[in-house]
Structure formats: structure tokens, C-alpha cells
Amino acid sequence: MPRGRRRTVKGRGVQALSAGTLSLSAMPGNPLLHFDARTGVTFDPSTERVSAWANLGSAGTAADVGQDTASEQPLYKATAFGTGKPAILYDGSDDLLWRQYSGLNIQNYTAVVGYAYSHGASNFHQAGIGGNSISNTETNSTGYFRGFGCQPVAPTHTKSFQLYNGNLDGIQIAQNMRESLNPSPTDTPFAVGGSWFWNGANNIVQASIEGSTITGATLTADADRPGTLQAFSVGRYVHGCLEGFMIRAITWPRVLSQVELNRATRVMKGGI
């Protein structure tokens, strides 16, 4: 861990920040992994570099993420979207917060992320939260294939994302959520999420954006790979780093119903 002064942001309770929205207490309960930029962020006040981000979910401190290499630490922006609305800024290059962790069945999960692209973002492969089931190393923590992942897709497909489970000879297994529902400008936060379930014969996927169901998703390959998560990351995918702001990232070790999933993305959008 780099030496020097550190400051840890402590939350003052979880509540919606926008008028007329649901309280975040309405978020479906018992997430396994839960990262919120408003609390649990350890950073250097002089450089804004983030060395650790505490997990608020049921996995506890065993799933806190961090980064010892200063050049790969994202930045803490206290007023990214206004007073009391911080975010973690990733550089689109090599920033990474990760952790070894075993405790998620990748065949049944739900992931929801709230983020925003930074102005001028151009990377096709962005990143949300995800990990792999084959190795617990830092390098492999970004491998959503052979694991799970909720990955936003490039700014040219604003408000779209991919959901991962397993792999097939290295061919990406993803749900391409490319219904770009009224593309918004960069720097505008939005929330997306999905559930992946293997019923023993077929993959069943549900998806949501800001409280609305996404339908007509394209499954690039109908294959399933069982496994248990070994390492995961927030803000970086094996092919690229988020070029923008991560605000919240949540994973449940179960499949939320479509109603719950829509509520989760609606509530998250109301708090960012």
C-alpha cells in the first residue's frame, strides 16, 4: 500500500439524492457485493488517488477492493455530480480496484451499476463489475468471460451493456443490450442491470435500465459454464478500463425478479 496520508469517506446513511425519487432503502435487500462512492472510499487527499473501496454487502470486508500500485488507482471526485454526489473516476487506461474472493455462483446472479462516461470517452470496451471463476490473480480478476460481469458498452451505444456468464472456447458469451434508449450526452449518470439464470437447460436473462425492462436482447451464444467466483474487479474489464465515473455497483447472489430488477435500476438512478 502506498505510504502517505489517507482519508476514508464515511457515509451518513443511504438515501436518495434527487427529489421525487424512491429512497435507496427500497433497493432489494441482501446484496453480496455493494460499492457506493459516498462511503467507505479510502484516498489520498493530496492526489485523490483511491487505494481502497469498502464493500457494504453481506460478504463484508472479505470483499473490499483495493489497489497498491499508485499509477493504477482511480481518483475520488467529491463533487463529481454536485454537492454530496461523489464518484470514482477511472482513466480509461489501466485503473483497477480488485479483490480475491470466492463466494458467488456465477450461474445465478444479478448485477446493477450506476456510472457515467467522461467527456470524450472513446473506448469500446468499458467496465462495470465482474470477475472470473478460474483464477484468483489480479490479472484474471478482470476476466468476465469464464465468470460473471455487467459491462457497459462504448459511448456509441450509450445506455447499453453486456451481461456475462461463462465462455465457449474463448468466444464471448454475452447479452448485448444495445437498445440505446434515447442516447444521453456523456457525463450524465445512468443505471443499468441484469439477472442471469441457468435453469438446467437454457440461459434465462432479464435486463433493466432506469426502471424499464429491456427486451429483445441478443444472446451471442447459448452456452453455460458453471463455476464459483475466484477474483473480481470494479471498473476494469480484461479488454479495457472504464473511461468515466463509477458511482455504485451492486451484485446479488440470486436472481432478482424483473419487478425487483426494475426497482433496483430506478432507485439507483434516483440516487446518482
Side-chain angles (χ1 to χ4, degrees):
M1 185 80 64
R3 298 179 182 274
R5 296 181 58 201
R6 290 288 181 272
R7 178 178 299 168
T8 300
V9 179
K10 296 182 179 179
R12 298 181 179 179
V14 181
Q15 59 184 3
L17 299 176
S18 302
T21 59
L22 290 173
S23 166
L24 288 178
S25 63
M27 185 71 75
N30 300 315
L32 182 73
L33 309 174
H34 183 180
F35 300 92
D36 189 326
R38 290 170 298 178
T39 186
V41 181
T42 300
F43 66 99
D44 184 329
S46 64
T47 64
E48 301 182 322
R49 292 189 180 278
V50 175
S51 58
W53 197 357
N55 172 44
L56 306 177
S58 62
T61 58
D64 290 352
V65 293
Q67 178 56 255
D68 290 339
T69 304
S71 62
E72 296 182 7
Q73 293 173 344
L75 305 179
Y76 174 73
K77 296 296 182 180
T79 57
F81 300 102
T83 303
K85 296 184 178 183
I88 310 301
L89 177 61
Y90 287 77
D91 65 3
S93 176
D94 60 0
D95 288 351
L96 169 64
L97 296 175
W98 78 288
R99 184 63 183 258
Q100 294 179 4
Y101 179 74
S102 178
L104 175 68
N105 178 347
I106 65 172
Q107 290 182 298
N108 299 282
Y109 75 90
T110 301
V112 174
V113 293
Y115 59 96
Y117 297 117
S118 60
H119 182 69
S122 58
N123 289 347
F124 180 79
H125 291 290
Q126 297 289 330
I129 185 170
N132 81 95
S133 63
I134 60 170
S135 171
N136 63 5
T137 65
E138 178 175 355
T139 299
N140 282 300
S141 69
T142 63
Y144 297 177
F145 49 79
R146 298 189 184 181
F148 91 100
C150 185
Q151 174 211 2
V153 181
T156 53
H157 299 289
T158 304
K159 294 190 176 182
S160 61
F161 67 102
Q162 296 178 329
L163 199 64
Y164 290 81
N165 170 266
N167 83 318
L168 180 63
D169 297 328
I171 299 173
Q172 176 177 294
I173 306 303
Q175 286 287 337
N176 295 313
M177 311 301 180
R178 297 180 184 243
E179 299 81 358
S180 300
L181 310 180
N182 301 316
S184 60
T186 56
D187 302 320
T188 300
F190 60 101
V192 295
S195 295
W196 192 301
F197 173 63
W198 174 252
N199 68 1
N202 299 290
N203 290 295
I204 299 173
V205 178
Q206 301 172 131
S208 176
I209 180 168
E210 299 181 353
S212 298
T213 301
I214 296 177
T215 59
T218 300
L219 183 64
T220 60
D222 190 17
D224 174 76
R225 181 64 60 88
T228 300
L229 181 66
Q230 297 299 312
F232 74 98
S233 62
V234 179
R236 187 164 163 188
Y237 171 57
V238 67
H239 291 304
C241 172
L242 175 64
E243 191 172 0
F245 301 90
M246 179 63 69
I247 304 165
R248 296 186 79 193
I250 305 178
T251 300
W252 288 265
R254 65 184 180 91
V255 177
L256 298 185
S257 67
Q258 187 68 60
V259 171
E260 289 179 300
L261 181 58
N262 286 347
R263 187 171 83 237
T265 60
R266 183 172 67 251
V267 171
M268 183 178 285
K269 173 60 179 178
I272 59 178

